[in-house]
Amino acid sequence: MSSIPLTDFSALTDDATARQLAIDPSTPPAELERLLGRGAEIDRALVRHPNVPLHVYRALAATYPRSACANPAIGRLIEEEPGLIQAIPRLLKQPFCPPSQLRWGAGHGSRGQQLAVLRNPAVPDDVRVLLTPAHFHNDALRRLESLALAQPT
């Protein structure tokens, strides 16, 4: 009798088969989940896979942000968890980050998220103009004014 539980098929999958499953667009989400943690190459393929479960994507996106943004189903994943990009700000720096998310980061993100948008080499011009030095200067002035108003007189 084997000590491997019958529900753990990942232990029965050799590395070559695991790599093939991780890139095959027809691999179901449950099988992809079983491949998590089988090595960097497989994890990068998982985070790019269109059928990746949200929790697997979330677990890998911060480690492999470029691959995460290359996922053709990123729109679906963001719909499932609207705060996904905000939770993983490194995605905003990636060239494949969706323009809609860059616009969100520029208009509503924290200062760090806005700087991440500026570091993105593919940021659209209409987004870049939202983040001029004047924007950051005016934001700093607003913060100073609110601090001054909060001080007891």
Side-chain angles (χ1 to χ4, degrees), residues 20-128:
Q20 187 58 41
L21 287 169
I23 62 170
D24 181 350
S26 67
T27 303
E31 186 62 32
L32 294 171
E33 185 174 359
R34 289 186 201 103
L35 299 174
L36 180 61
R38 294 287 302 264
E41 179 185 1
I42 292 170
D43 284 350
R44 271 192 295 275
L46 289 175
V47 79
R48 282 190 307 262
H49 199 287
N51 292 335
V52 67
L54 178 60
H55 67 280
V56 173
Y57 182 87
R58 193 181 321 104
L60 297 172
T63 305
Y64 306 107
R66 183 168 293 209
S67 295
C69 284
N71 187 317
I74 193 169
R76 172 189 57 84
L77 294 162
I78 292 168
E79 283 179 19
E80 285 182 41
E81 186 176 322
L84 186 63
I85 296 288
Q86 297 90 313
I88 309 170
R90 290 182 62 195
L91 297 179
L92 292 169
K93 297 179 193 177
Q94 302 308 313
F96 298 117
C97 187
S100 62
Q101 296 306 306
L102 295 173
R103 284 184 190 85
W104 176 90
H108 305 288
S110 67
R111 195 171 311 139
Q113 290 167 329
Q114 290 173 338
L115 291 172
V117 169
L118 284 175
R119 289 184 189 107
N120 187 318
V123 66
D125 289 338
D126 69 308
V127 174
R128 187 177 302 281

Side-chain angles (χ1 to χ4, degrees), residues 111 114 133-145:
R111 195 171 311 139
Q114 290 173 338
H135 165 80
F136 290 102
H137 176 76
N138 291 336
D139 182 54
L141 287 176
R142 277 190 303 276
R143 290 173 188 261
L144 286 171
E145 287 174 10

